[in-house]
Amino acid sequence: MDWFEQARVAEQLGDWDAAIALVSAHAECYSTDHTLHNNHLWHMDLLARAKRFSELTELALTDVHARRRLNRSLRDQGMEAVLRSRAEDGDRDALYVLVRLLCETNRAQEAHRVVQDSGSEDQYAHQIVARFRSPSSDTR
């Protein structure tokens, strides 16, 4: 059995240590080899599924894929306060994830305040709030 099959079996069994070790050895962010790049994305996904948020947070300092996966995971885990803190510290992706979360949970006013407090010049954050406030957004 090659490393890929071993990693898939480990992943299916929830053996995160083995899966992460196997995949990370064959992963490279922004590689011109699409297989290495896809393995990098798989590695970020495994870290999130293993709830290794400290590792993702460390990687997120320099890796956009880790940052995005971390922010989605924080949202999925209901860790709104951590997401808010990341947004306040300047993580634009965390801001967007937080604003969408607030809007999707009928807290558009709070989302608007977050945008005003965290990124009043951020047009994309304003667009997210506006999209949820528009009548056409009710037809989703």
Side-chain angles (χ1 to χ4, degrees):
M1 185 177 340
D2 69 359
W3 75 267
F4 183 84
E5 292 167 338
Q6 290 175 344
R8 283 289 183 204
V9 169
E11 179 181 23
Q12 290 169 353
L13 295 173
D15 183 353
W16 304 120
D17 291 336
I20 290 166
L22 287 162
V23 173
S24 67
H26 301 275
E28 185 180 320
C29 185
Y30 292 119
S31 174
T32 55
D33 179 334
H34 74 278
T35 301
L36 291 175
H37 181 69
N38 286 341
N39 290 342
H40 173 69
L41 299 176
W42 184 16
H43 178 219
M44 298 304 100
D45 185 58
L46 289 170
L47 289 172
R49 291 173 51 211
K51 296 182 175 61
R52 293 191 179 177
F53 299 128
S54 61
E55 289 176 58
L56 274 173
T57 300
E58 182 72 25
L59 290 169
L61 295 173
T62 58
D63 184 333
V64 66
H65 305 107
R67 186 170 52 252
R68 288 177 183 155
R69 192 61 181 97
L70 172 62
N71 290 334
R72 283 194 318 268
S73 295
L74 293 171
R75 174 200 167 110
D76 294 346
Q77 294 295 312
M79 300 174 77
E80 189 177 310
V82 178
L83 198 54
R84 187 179 298 266
S85 175
R86 292 182 58 76
E88 289 170 355
D89 288 344
D91 181 340
R92 301 325 264 170
D93 182 65
L95 173 64
Y96 305 148
V97 171
L98 177 62
V99 168
R100 274 190 218 96
L101 171 64
L102 294 171
C103 289
E104 290 168 357
T105 54
N106 298 317
R107 296 182 283 167
Q109 283 300 108
E110 187 177 349
H112 181 71
R113 277 193 305 278
V114 167
V115 171
Q116 292 303 317
D117 294 346
S118 300
S120 61
E121 301 93 39
D122 191 313
Q123 291 305 307
Y124 184 65
H126 283 284
Q127 289 173 7
I128 294 169
V129 174
R131 193 174 21 212
F132 279 92
R133 286 185 167 173
S134 72
S136 63
S137 67
D138 295 335
T139 60
R140 320 178 244 151

